[in-house]
């Protein structure tokens, strides 16, 4: 079972486009890491604490998943990922952290490789960070040839309805690698429409290159 932690958003100074771009060039960090050494890429320190994207909705809403495409240059095990949420309608947005295979040829998530327990986001005043830590006995390998989608998914959480949350986001900037794009799902996992866009959901991703 994964561990899910939550905490309030930190106070961080506003960042400009010029200051963000060099820090998001994470290729040298990944290239220099020896196999087996964990890499943590975080974008929280670049965030003004306000920029966001609407929305992740409850199970009866339209947008049922938001996440990023995890595709580091080197084959790597995904260890954890986190995003910041704040309620904008209702009292609770319930979701499950999931990791799925991303098929770039059809631009959609296909096979779900991992899903955690249900989580409820309830904070209305401040953004709250939710971190999903992948269990040590679960190996989720991602890379250029096998992209993964790491997201928060509400479709199966049918006990909680009629609510939505916004997520912290760095608009127009992508932490590549390991993040290739942000994505969202309108509709159901099997039949809905997926969209990619060039931004990064605020949070962190931790992974370990194996080669």
């Amino acid at each position: 079972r994964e561990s899910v932690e939550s905490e309030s958003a930190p106070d961080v100074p506003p960042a400009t486009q010029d200051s963000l771009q060099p820090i998001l060039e994470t290729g040298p960090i990944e290239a220099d890491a020896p196999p087996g050494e964990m890499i943590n890429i975080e974008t929280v320190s670049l965030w003004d604490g306000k920029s966001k994207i609407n929305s992740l909705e409850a199970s009866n809403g339209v947008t049922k998943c938001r996440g990023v495409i995890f595709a580091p240059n080197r084959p790597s095990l995904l260890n954890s990922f986190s995003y910041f949420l704040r309620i904008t309608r209702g009292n609770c947005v319930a979701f499950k952290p999931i990791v799925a295979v991303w098929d770039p040829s059809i631009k959609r998530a296909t096979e779900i490789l991992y899903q955690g327990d249900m989580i409820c986001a309830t904070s209305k005043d401040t953004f709250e960070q939710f971190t999903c830590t992948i269990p040590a006995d679960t190996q989720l390998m991602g890379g250029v040839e096998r992209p993964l989608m790491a997201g928060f998914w509400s479709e199966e959480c049918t006990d909680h309805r009629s609510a939505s949350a916004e997520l912290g986001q760095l608009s127009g900037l992508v932490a590549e690698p390991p993040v290739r794009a942000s994505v969202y799902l309108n509709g159901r996992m099997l039949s809905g429409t997926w969209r990619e866009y060039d931004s990064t959901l605020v949070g962190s991703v931790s992974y370990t290159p194996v080669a």
Side-chain angles (χ1 to χ4, degrees):
R1 175 177 295 187
E2 93 290 349
S3 63
V4 178
E5 302 172 353
S6 67
E7 57 185 74
S8 298
D11 293 327
V12 294
T16 65
Q17 183 92 1
D18 291 341
S19 69
L20 287 174
Q21 197 61 47
I23 302 175
L24 289 176
E25 293 175 355
T26 55
I29 298 175
E30 182 178 307
D32 293 341
E37 180 175 295
M38 187 181 299
I39 298 173
N40 185 67
I41 303 298
E42 63 83 19
T43 53
V44 183
S45 60
L46 312 178
W47 184 39
D48 61 8
K50 300 176 182 178
S51 300
K52 42 80 176 178
I53 184 71
N54 290 324
S55 60
L56 174 66
E57 298 178 274
S59 59
N60 64 326
V62 176
T63 304
K64 302 182 193 299
C65 186
R66 282 195 177 272
V68 303
I69 299 174
F70 172 75
N73 288 334
R74 299 160 60 186
S76 301
L77 294 173
L78 178 62
N79 301 315
S80 68
F81 61 95
S82 72
Y83 306 124
F84 282 79
L85 278 73
R86 180 172 63 189
I87 297 295
T88 56
R89 180 173 61 91
N91 296 313
C92 165
V93 171
F95 59 89
K96 294 180 179 180
I98 64 169
V99 180
V101 176
W102 180 262
D103 187 336
S105 66
I106 58 175
K107 294 188 176 182
R108 65 180 302 114
T110 55
E111 179 187 2
I112 296 179
L113 303 175
Y114 170 79
Q115 62 177 289
D117 293 336
M118 186 182 75
I119 308 164
C120 284
T122 59
S123 176
K124 297 181 179 181
D125 297 327
T126 60
F127 281 96
E128 187 175 10
Q129 183 180 24
F130 293 91
T131 301
C132 173
T133 302
I134 307 301
D137 60 355
T138 301
Q139 294 195 335
L140 302 175
M141 186 74 69
V144 174
E145 300 299 323
R146 190 176 190 257
L148 302 178
M149 191 286 299
F152 289 168
W153 180 50
S154 65
E155 182 177 333
E156 293 188 344
C157 303
T158 55
D159 290 341
H160 300 271
R161 302 168 66 85
S162 302
S164 61
E166 55 194 9
L167 287 80
Q169 178 175 271
L170 299 176
S171 298
L173 296 168
V174 180
E176 182 180 359
V179 174
R180 301 297 178 180
S182 290
V183 296
Y184 63 92
L185 167 66
N186 284 344
R188 297 183 177 276
M189 178 66 69
L190 296 179
S191 60
T193 301
W194 287 90
R195 302 292 186 192
E196 295 182 25
Y197 62 102
D198 292 332
S199 293
T200 296
L201 295 180
V202 174
S204 66
V205 59
S206 175
Y207 60 104
T208 302
V210 298

